[in-house]
């Protein structure tokens, strides 16, 4: 493949967003996500919430898929009652992104879940979430950093073998792993920070935010997998 691979990124859909003289409903995405894709050699395409029945056709036109960070997953999707600390649901986004994930898995399209995206990947495969943990987020709208350690022999470790400090902002985490998923990185407190499917799939979920750092290793691994590179 000589052309840049087309990588779709799921987005927010927010009411009354302001820019310049305008205040309108908007599909939006922090610029770090498309920049990460572009810097790793991909072509970024935004995928705002749509009807779930369009997910399979959408994924069929992509070379790779990124499920971006965002609000808490509604606990109904993993058979739980909402904790008082769980945020309000975004049902349209939950339905769309779960459909995208299932389509990517069915079609063998490389898939990266970031933060909420990792949690949705786990839920899509029948896993559950812990609805609140401490120490992985500070004030709203800010990122903290902590160390993560790869599990040797995993897809993630092949892309990024060294222990490193990562930018993070989440208050939920993976509890019971979904079908065929295995942990591929942990925080120092034992929190699962990355999950993946076994080969030949390129399916990885990470709990931190690489779009807020200069680390291209994971996105380059995704792009290389599309190009058939080791």
């Amino acid at each position: 493949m000589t052309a840049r691979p087309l990588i779709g990124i799921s987005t927010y859909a927010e009411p009354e967003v302001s820019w310049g003289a305008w205040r309108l409903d908007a599909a939006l995405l922090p610029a770090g996500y498309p920049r990460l894709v572009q810097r790793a050699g991909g072509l970024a395409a935004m995928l705002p919430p749509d009807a779930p029945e369009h997910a399979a056709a959408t994924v069929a036109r992509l070379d790779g898929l990124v499920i971006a960070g965002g609000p808490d997953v509604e606990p109904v999707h993993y058979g739980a009652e909402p904790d008082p600390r769980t945020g309000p649901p975004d049902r349209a986004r939950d339905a769309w992104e779960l459909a995208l994930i299932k389509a990517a898995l069915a079609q063998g399209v490389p898939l990266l879940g970031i933060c909420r995206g990792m949690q949705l990947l786990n839920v899509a495969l029948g896993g559950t979430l812990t609805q609140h943990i401490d120490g992985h987020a500070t004030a709203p709208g800010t990122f903290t950093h902590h160390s993560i350690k790869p599990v040797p022999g995993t897809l993630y470790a092949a892309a990024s073998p060294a222990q490193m400090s990562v930018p993070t902002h989440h208050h939920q985490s993976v509890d019971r792993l979904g079908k065929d998923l295995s942990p591929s990185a942990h925080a120092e407190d034992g929190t699962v920070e990355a999950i993946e499917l076994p080969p030949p799939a390129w399916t990885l979920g990470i709990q931190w935010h690489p779009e807020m750092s200069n680390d291209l290793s994971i996105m380059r691994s995704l792009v290389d997998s599309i190009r058939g590179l080791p």
Side-chain angles (χ1 to χ4, degrees):
M1 177 180 291
T2 56
R4 290 189 295 165
L6 180 64
I7 298 175
I9 313 168
S10 64
T11 80
Y12 293 81
E14 296 293 330
E16 296 189 3
V17 176
S18 296
W19 70 98
W22 302 99
R23 187 173 181 86
L24 298 170
D25 295 353
L28 60 87
L29 184 68
Y33 289 100
R35 287 173 183 161
L36 183 69
V37 168
Q38 292 161 353
R39 291 172 62 208
L43 179 65
M46 292 174 62
L47 304 176
D50 200 344
E53 57 265 30
H54 299 316
T58 299
V59 169
R61 300 179 71 173
L62 302 173
D63 299 307
L65 174 66
V66 175
I67 303 296
D72 293 339
V73 180
E74 188 171 17
V76 69
H77 293 295
Y78 49 96
E81 293 294 323
D83 183 283
R85 295 164 293 188
T86 294
D90 186 335
R91 294 188 174 99
R93 190 169 170 192
D94 281 356
W96 172 238
E97 291 180 348
L98 283 167
L100 288 174
I101 289 170
K102 291 174 183 178
L105 295 174
Q107 296 177 33
V109 172
L111 167 63
L112 173 62
I114 295 176
C115 196
R116 163 190 162 88
M118 167 176 153
Q119 296 167 8
L120 269 175
L121 170 62
N122 191 57
V123 169
L125 289 171
T128 62
L129 303 179
T130 298
Q131 293 189 50
H132 185 79
I133 61 171
D134 293 317
H136 290 250
T138 52
T142 64
F143 289 88
T144 188
H145 285 75
H146 64 67
S147 179
I148 58 102
K149 185 175 183 179
V151 174
T154 59
L155 170 66
Y156 172 67
S160 185
Q163 185 167 338
M164 62 186 297
S165 179
V166 295
T168 182
H169 184 96
H170 66 100
H171 80 113
Q172 299 194 333
S173 63
V174 164
D175 182 17
R176 186 184 72 245
L177 284 168
K179 186 177 185 296
D180 295 329
L181 288 167
S182 58
S184 47
H186 295 89
E188 292 175 326
D189 65 2
T191 301
V192 174
E193 288 284 325
I195 56 175
E196 61 185 62
L197 288 176
W202 197 106
T203 301
L204 177 64
I206 58 173
Q207 189 60 77
W208 65 95
H209 287 266
E211 80 281 3
M212 298 304 299
S213 75
N214 292 317
D215 180 28
L216 299 180
S217 60
I218 297 169
M219 189 60 70
R220 279 184 174 152
S221 176
L222 186 151
V223 170
D224 287 347
S225 76
I226 295 167
R227 289 177 166 157
L229 300 174

PDB file of all heavy atoms in Angstrom, residues 59-86:
ATOM      1  N   VAL A  59     -17.405   0.736   8.183  1.00  0.00           N
ATOM      2  CA  VAL A  59     -16.130   0.072   8.469  1.00  0.00           C
ATOM      3  C   VAL A  59     -15.552  -0.574   7.215  1.00  0.00           C
ATOM      4  O   VAL A  59     -14.327  -0.600   7.025  1.00  0.00           O
ATOM      5  CB  VAL A  59     -16.323  -0.960   9.599  1.00  0.00           C
ATOM      6  CG1 VAL A  59     -15.096  -1.860   9.744  1.00  0.00           C
ATOM      7  CG2 VAL A  59     -16.617  -0.250  10.914  1.00  0.00           C
ATOM      8  N   ALA A  60     -16.417  -1.053   6.314  1.00  0.00           N
ATOM      9  CA  ALA A  60     -15.942  -1.689   5.083  1.00  0.00           C
ATOM     10  C   ALA A  60     -15.148  -0.737   4.207  1.00  0.00           C
ATOM     11  O   ALA A  60     -14.355  -1.187   3.363  1.00  0.00           O
ATOM     12  CB  ALA A  60     -17.124  -2.262   4.308  1.00  0.00           C
ATOM     13  N   ARG A  61     -15.329   0.563   4.390  1.00  0.00           N
ATOM     14  CA  ARG A  61     -14.615   1.554   3.577  1.00  0.00           C
ATOM     15  C   ARG A  61     -13.341   2.046   4.248  1.00  0.00           C
ATOM     16  O   ARG A  61     -12.621   2.875   3.694  1.00  0.00           O
ATOM     17  CB  ARG A  61     -15.543   2.734   3.281  1.00  0.00           C
ATOM     18  CG  ARG A  61     -16.787   2.302   2.519  1.00  0.00           C
ATOM     19  CD  ARG A  61     -17.733   3.437   2.241  1.00  0.00           C
ATOM     20  NE  ARG A  61     -17.207   4.364   1.245  1.00  0.00           N
ATOM     21  CZ  ARG A  61     -17.903   5.371   0.727  1.00  0.00           C
ATOM     22  NH1 ARG A  61     -19.145   5.572   1.113  1.00  0.00           N
ATOM     23  NH2 ARG A  61     -17.352   6.167  -0.173  1.00  0.00           N
ATOM     24  N   LEU A  62     -13.052   1.546   5.455  1.00  0.00           N
ATOM     25  CA  LEU A  62     -11.890   1.979   6.216  1.00  0.00           C
ATOM     26  C   LEU A  62     -10.771   0.943   6.162  1.00  0.00           C
ATOM     27  O   LEU A  62     -11.015  -0.248   5.997  1.00  0.00           O
ATOM     28  CB  LEU A  62     -12.271   2.212   7.680  1.00  0.00           C
ATOM     29  CG  LEU A  62     -13.364   3.227   7.976  1.00  0.00           C
ATOM     30  CD1 LEU A  62     -13.711   3.199   9.465  1.00  0.00           C
ATOM     31  CD2 LEU A  62     -12.934   4.629   7.552  1.00  0.00           C
ATOM     32  N   ASP A  63      -9.541   1.434   6.370  1.00  0.00           N
ATOM     33  CA  ASP A  63      -8.400   0.538   6.562  1.00  0.00           C
ATOM     34  C   ASP A  63      -8.136   0.277   8.042  1.00  0.00           C
ATOM     35  O   ASP A  63      -7.509  -0.726   8.391  1.00  0.00           O
ATOM     36  CB  ASP A  63      -7.143   1.140   5.927  1.00  0.00           C
ATOM     37  CG  ASP A  63      -7.304   1.346   4.433  1.00  0.00           C
ATOM     38  OD1 ASP A  63      -7.675   0.378   3.738  1.00  0.00           O
ATOM     39  OD2 ASP A  63      -7.081   2.478   3.958  1.00  0.00           O
ATOM     40  N   GLY A  64      -8.575   1.183   8.906  1.00  0.00           N
ATOM     41  CA  GLY A  64      -8.391   1.035  10.345  1.00  0.00           C
ATOM     42  C   GLY A  64      -9.418   1.881  11.071  1.00  0.00           C
ATOM     43  O   GLY A  64     -10.019   2.798  10.489  1.00  0.00           O
ATOM     44  N   LEU A  65      -9.630   1.576  12.347  1.00  0.00           N
ATOM     45  CA  LEU A  65     -10.648   2.252  13.144  1.00  0.00           C
ATOM     46  C   LEU A  65     -10.083   2.603  14.508  1.00  0.00           C
ATOM     47  O   LEU A  65      -9.432   1.774  15.153  1.00  0.00           O
ATOM     48  CB  LEU A  65     -11.873   1.346  13.316  1.00  0.00           C
ATOM     49  CG  LEU A  65     -12.989   1.839  14.243  1.00  0.00           C
ATOM     50  CD1 LEU A  65     -13.657   3.094  13.676  1.00  0.00           C
ATOM     51  CD2 LEU A  65     -14.020   0.731  14.464  1.00  0.00           C
ATOM     52  N   VAL A  66     -10.346   3.849  14.947  1.00  0.00           N
ATOM     53  CA  VAL A  66      -9.994   4.298  16.298  1.00  0.00           C
ATOM     54  C   VAL A  66     -11.279   4.709  17.000  1.00  0.00           C
ATOM     55  O   VAL A  66     -12.047   5.528  16.475  1.00  0.00           O
ATOM     56  CB  VAL A  66      -9.012   5.487  16.266  1.00  0.00           C
ATOM     57  CG1 VAL A  66      -8.763   6.020  17.681  1.00  0.00           C
ATOM     58  CG2 VAL A  66      -7.690   5.082  15.610  1.00  0.00           C
ATOM     59  N   ILE A  67     -11.534   4.142  18.173  1.00  0.00           N
ATOM     60  CA  ILE A  67     -12.639   4.581  19.016  1.00  0.00           C
ATOM     61  C   ILE A  67     -12.049   5.498  20.072  1.00  0.00           C
ATOM     62  O   ILE A  67     -11.217   5.083  20.878  1.00  0.00           O
ATOM     63  CB  ILE A  67     -13.376   3.398  19.667  1.00  0.00           C
ATOM     64  CG1 ILE A  67     -13.883   2.432  18.585  1.00  0.00           C
ATOM     65  CG2 ILE A  67     -14.526   3.902  20.529  1.00  0.00           C
ATOM     66  CD1 ILE A  67     -14.908   3.017  17.644  1.00  0.00           C
ATOM     67  N   ALA A  68     -12.460   6.758  20.035  1.00  0.00           N
ATOM     68  CA  ALA A  68     -11.832   7.804  20.845  1.00  0.00           C
ATOM     69  C   ALA A  68     -12.388   7.817  22.268  1.00  0.00           C
ATOM     70  O   ALA A  68     -13.387   7.175  22.586  1.00  0.00           O
ATOM     71  CB  ALA A  68     -12.049   9.162  20.181  1.00  0.00           C
ATOM     72  N   GLY A  69     -11.723   8.589  23.114  1.00  0.00           N
ATOM     73  CA  GLY A  69     -12.170   8.783  24.482  1.00  0.00           C
ATOM     74  C   GLY A  69     -13.446   9.600  24.538  1.00  0.00           C
ATOM     75  O   GLY A  69     -13.883  10.198  23.548  1.00  0.00           O
ATOM     76  N   GLY A  70     -14.060   9.625  25.727  1.00  0.00           N
ATOM     77  CA  GLY A  70     -15.305  10.361  25.886  1.00  0.00           C
ATOM     78  C   GLY A  70     -16.005   9.988  27.175  1.00  0.00           C
ATOM     79  O   GLY A  70     -15.361   9.561  28.139  1.00  0.00           O
ATOM     80  N   PRO A  71     -17.331  10.100  27.201  1.00  0.00           N
ATOM     81  CA  PRO A  71     -18.085   9.906  28.441  1.00  0.00           C
ATOM     82  C   PRO A  71     -18.138   8.448  28.874  1.00  0.00           C
ATOM     83  O   PRO A  71     -17.796   7.528  28.116  1.00  0.00           O
ATOM     84  CB  PRO A  71     -19.484  10.429  28.081  1.00  0.00           C
ATOM     85  CG  PRO A  71     -19.575  10.252  26.605  1.00  0.00           C
ATOM     86  CD  PRO A  71     -18.194  10.499  26.073  1.00  0.00           C
ATOM     87  N   ASP A  72     -18.601   8.239  30.109  1.00  0.00           N
ATOM     88  CA  ASP A  72     -18.747   6.898  30.656  1.00  0.00           C
ATOM     89  C   ASP A  72     -19.719   6.069  29.814  1.00  0.00           C
ATOM     90  O   ASP A  72     -20.741   6.579  29.332  1.00  0.00           O
ATOM     91  CB  ASP A  72     -19.270   6.956  32.092  1.00  0.00           C
ATOM     92  CG  ASP A  72     -18.279   7.581  33.059  1.00  0.00           C
ATOM     93  OD1 ASP A  72     -17.072   7.611  32.735  1.00  0.00           O
ATOM     94  OD2 ASP A  72     -18.707   8.020  34.140  1.00  0.00           O
ATOM     95  N   VAL A  73     -19.396   4.791  29.666  1.00  0.00           N
ATOM     96  CA  VAL A  73     -20.291   3.853  28.997  1.00  0.00           C
ATOM     97  C   VAL A  73     -21.495   3.599  29.903  1.00  0.00           C
ATOM     98  O   VAL A  73     -21.335   3.386  31.111  1.00  0.00           O
ATOM     99  CB  VAL A  73     -19.558   2.525  28.717  1.00  0.00           C
ATOM    100  CG1 VAL A  73     -20.484   1.537  28.013  1.00  0.00           C
ATOM    101  CG2 VAL A  73     -18.293   2.769  27.896  1.00  0.00           C
ATOM    102  N   GLU A  74     -22.700   3.608  29.336  1.00  0.00           N
ATOM    103  CA  GLU A  74     -23.876   3.354  30.163  1.00  0.00           C
ATOM    104  C   GLU A  74     -23.821   1.934  30.724  1.00  0.00           C
ATOM    105  O   GLU A  74     -23.663   0.961  29.969  1.00  0.00           O
ATOM    106  CB  GLU A  74     -25.162   3.561  29.365  1.00  0.00           C
ATOM    107  CG  GLU A  74     -26.395   3.504  30.239  1.00  0.00           C
ATOM    108  CD  GLU A  74     -27.670   3.919  29.538  1.00  0.00           C
ATOM    109  OE1 GLU A  74     -27.682   3.948  28.292  1.00  0.00           O
ATOM    110  OE2 GLU A  74     -28.661   4.213  30.240  1.00  0.00           O
ATOM    111  N   PRO A  75     -23.951   1.766  32.045  1.00  0.00           N
ATOM    112  CA  PRO A  75     -23.776   0.448  32.663  1.00  0.00           C
ATOM    113  C   PRO A  75     -24.760  -0.617  32.178  1.00  0.00           C
ATOM    114  O   PRO A  75     -24.478  -1.812  32.315  1.00  0.00           O
ATOM    115  CB  PRO A  75     -23.960   0.725  34.163  1.00  0.00           C
ATOM    116  CG  PRO A  75     -23.580   2.162  34.321  1.00  0.00           C
ATOM    117  CD  PRO A  75     -24.045   2.832  33.060  1.00  0.00           C
ATOM    118  N   VAL A  76     -25.895  -0.217  31.598  1.00  0.00           N
ATOM    119  CA  VAL A  76     -26.837  -1.210  31.084  1.00  0.00           C
ATOM    120  C   VAL A  76     -26.181  -2.132  30.071  1.00  0.00           C
ATOM    121  O   VAL A  76     -26.574  -3.301  29.925  1.00  0.00           O
ATOM    122  CB  VAL A  76     -28.083  -0.513  30.475  1.00  0.00           C
ATOM    123  CG1 VAL A  76     -27.725   0.243  29.197  1.00  0.00           C
ATOM    124  CG2 VAL A  76     -29.200  -1.513  30.207  1.00  0.00           C
ATOM    125  N   HIS A  77     -25.143  -1.653  29.385  1.00  0.00           N
ATOM    126  CA  HIS A  77     -24.486  -2.460  28.356  1.00  0.00           C
ATOM    127  C   HIS A  77     -23.683  -3.607  28.946  1.00  0.00           C
ATOM    128  O   HIS A  77     -23.303  -4.525  28.203  1.00  0.00           O
ATOM    129  CB  HIS A  77     -23.587  -1.579  27.488  1.00  0.00           C
ATOM    130  CG  HIS A  77     -24.343  -0.597  26.641  1.00  0.00           C
ATOM    131  ND1 HIS A  77     -25.189  -0.977  25.625  1.00  0.00           N
ATOM    132  CD2 HIS A  77     -24.387   0.763  26.671  1.00  0.00           C
ATOM    133  CE1 HIS A  77     -25.722   0.093  25.062  1.00  0.00           C
ATOM    134  NE2 HIS A  77     -25.255   1.162  25.679  1.00  0.00           N
ATOM    135  N   TYR A  78     -23.373  -3.554  30.229  1.00  0.00           N
ATOM    136  CA  TYR A  78     -22.689  -4.684  30.850  1.00  0.00           C
ATOM    137  C   TYR A  78     -23.454  -5.206  32.070  1.00  0.00           C
ATOM    138  O   TYR A  78     -22.879  -5.819  32.972  1.00  0.00           O
ATOM    139  CB  TYR A  78     -21.229  -4.361  31.189  1.00  0.00           C
ATOM    140  CG  TYR A  78     -20.971  -3.069  31.940  1.00  0.00           C
ATOM    141  CD1 TYR A  78     -20.837  -3.056  33.330  1.00  0.00           C
ATOM    142  CD2 TYR A  78     -20.821  -1.867  31.264  1.00  0.00           C
ATOM    143  CE1 TYR A  78     -20.575  -1.881  34.014  1.00  0.00           C
ATOM    144  CE2 TYR A  78     -20.564  -0.686  31.933  1.00  0.00           C
ATOM    145  CZ  TYR A  78     -20.435  -0.711  33.311  1.00  0.00           C
ATOM    146  OH  TYR A  78     -20.171   0.475  33.993  1.00  0.00           O
ATOM    147  N   GLY A  79     -24.769  -4.962  32.078  1.00  0.00           N
ATOM    148  CA  GLY A  79     -25.640  -5.572  33.058  1.00  0.00           C
ATOM    149  C   GLY A  79     -25.505  -5.052  34.466  1.00  0.00           C
ATOM    150  O   GLY A  79     -25.739  -5.789  35.431  1.00  0.00           O
ATOM    151  N   ALA A  80     -25.156  -3.766  34.618  1.00  0.00           N
ATOM    152  CA  ALA A  80     -24.956  -3.186  35.944  1.00  0.00           C
ATOM    153  C   ALA A  80     -25.872  -1.991  36.156  1.00  0.00           C
ATOM    154  O   ALA A  80     -26.327  -1.349  35.192  1.00  0.00           O
ATOM    155  CB  ALA A  80     -23.499  -2.757  36.123  1.00  0.00           C
ATOM    156  N   GLU A  81     -26.138  -1.695  37.410  1.00  0.00           N
ATOM    157  CA  GLU A  81     -26.835  -0.475  37.787  1.00  0.00           C
ATOM    158  C   GLU A  81     -25.817   0.662  37.855  1.00  0.00           C
ATOM    159  O   GLU A  81     -24.657   0.447  38.235  1.00  0.00           O
ATOM    160  CB  GLU A  81     -27.514  -0.636  39.148  1.00  0.00           C
ATOM    161  CG  GLU A  81     -28.663  -1.630  39.141  1.00  0.00           C
ATOM    162  CD  GLU A  81     -29.824  -1.156  38.278  1.00  0.00           C
ATOM    163  OE1 GLU A  81     -30.094   0.063  38.264  1.00  0.00           O
ATOM    164  OE2 GLU A  81     -30.449  -2.010  37.623  1.00  0.00           O
ATOM    165  N   PRO A  82     -26.200   1.911  37.514  1.00  0.00           N
ATOM    166  CA  PRO A  82     -25.237   3.009  37.551  1.00  0.00           C
ATOM    167  C   PRO A  82     -24.811   3.357  38.969  1.00  0.00           C
ATOM    168  O   PRO A  82     -25.641   3.468  39.871  1.00  0.00           O
ATOM    169  CB  PRO A  82     -25.974   4.173  36.883  1.00  0.00           C
ATOM    170  CG  PRO A  82     -27.416   3.811  36.960  1.00  0.00           C
ATOM    171  CD  PRO A  82     -27.495   2.316  36.951  1.00  0.00           C
ATOM    172  N   ASP A  83     -23.521   3.503  39.148  1.00  0.00           N
ATOM    173  CA  ASP A  83     -22.954   4.038  40.390  1.00  0.00           C
ATOM    174  C   ASP A  83     -23.277   5.535  40.435  1.00  0.00           C
ATOM    175  O   ASP A  83     -23.349   6.188  39.390  1.00  0.00           O
ATOM    176  CB  ASP A  83     -21.435   3.820  40.371  1.00  0.00           C
ATOM    177  CG  ASP A  83     -20.744   4.262  41.638  1.00  0.00           C
ATOM    178  OD1 ASP A  83     -20.557   5.494  41.808  1.00  0.00           O
ATOM    179  OD2 ASP A  83     -20.367   3.403  42.450  1.00  0.00           O
ATOM    180  N   PRO A  84     -23.472   6.129  41.620  1.00  0.00           N
ATOM    181  CA  PRO A  84     -23.739   7.574  41.684  1.00  0.00           C
ATOM    182  C   PRO A  84     -22.644   8.431  41.047  1.00  0.00           C
ATOM    183  O   PRO A  84     -22.902   9.562  40.636  1.00  0.00           O
ATOM    184  CB  PRO A  84     -23.838   7.846  43.193  1.00  0.00           C
ATOM    185  CG  PRO A  84     -24.228   6.539  43.793  1.00  0.00           C
ATOM    186  CD  PRO A  84     -23.579   5.488  42.948  1.00  0.00           C
ATOM    187  N   ARG A  85     -21.428   7.885  40.953  1.00  0.00           N
ATOM    188  CA  ARG A  85     -20.316   8.650  40.375  1.00  0.00           C
ATOM    189  C   ARG A  85     -20.172   8.452  38.858  1.00  0.00           C
ATOM    190  O   ARG A  85     -19.310   9.083  38.232  1.00  0.00           O
ATOM    191  CB  ARG A  85     -19.013   8.270  41.087  1.00  0.00           C
ATOM    192  CG  ARG A  85     -18.985   8.660  42.558  1.00  0.00           C
ATOM    193  CD  ARG A  85     -17.885   7.964  43.328  1.00  0.00           C
ATOM    194  NE  ARG A  85     -18.147   6.524  43.419  1.00  0.00           N
ATOM    195  CZ  ARG A  85     -17.445   5.680  44.168  1.00  0.00           C
ATOM    196  NH1 ARG A  85     -16.430   6.137  44.895  1.00  0.00           N
ATOM    197  NH2 ARG A  85     -17.737   4.388  44.196  1.00  0.00           N
ATOM    198  N   THR A  86     -20.995   7.593  38.277  1.00  0.00           N
ATOM    199  CA  THR A  86     -20.964   7.397  36.823  1.00  0.00           C
ATOM    200  C   THR A  86     -21.659   8.558  36.137  1.00  0.00           C
ATOM    201  O   THR A  86     -22.745   8.971  36.539  1.00  0.00           O
ATOM    202  CB  THR A  86     -21.636   6.069  36.452  1.00  0.00           C
ATOM    203  OG1 THR A  86     -20.845   4.997  36.989  1.00  0.00           O
ATOM    204  CG2 THR A  86     -21.752   5.894  34.948  1.00  0.00           C
TER     205      THR A  86
END
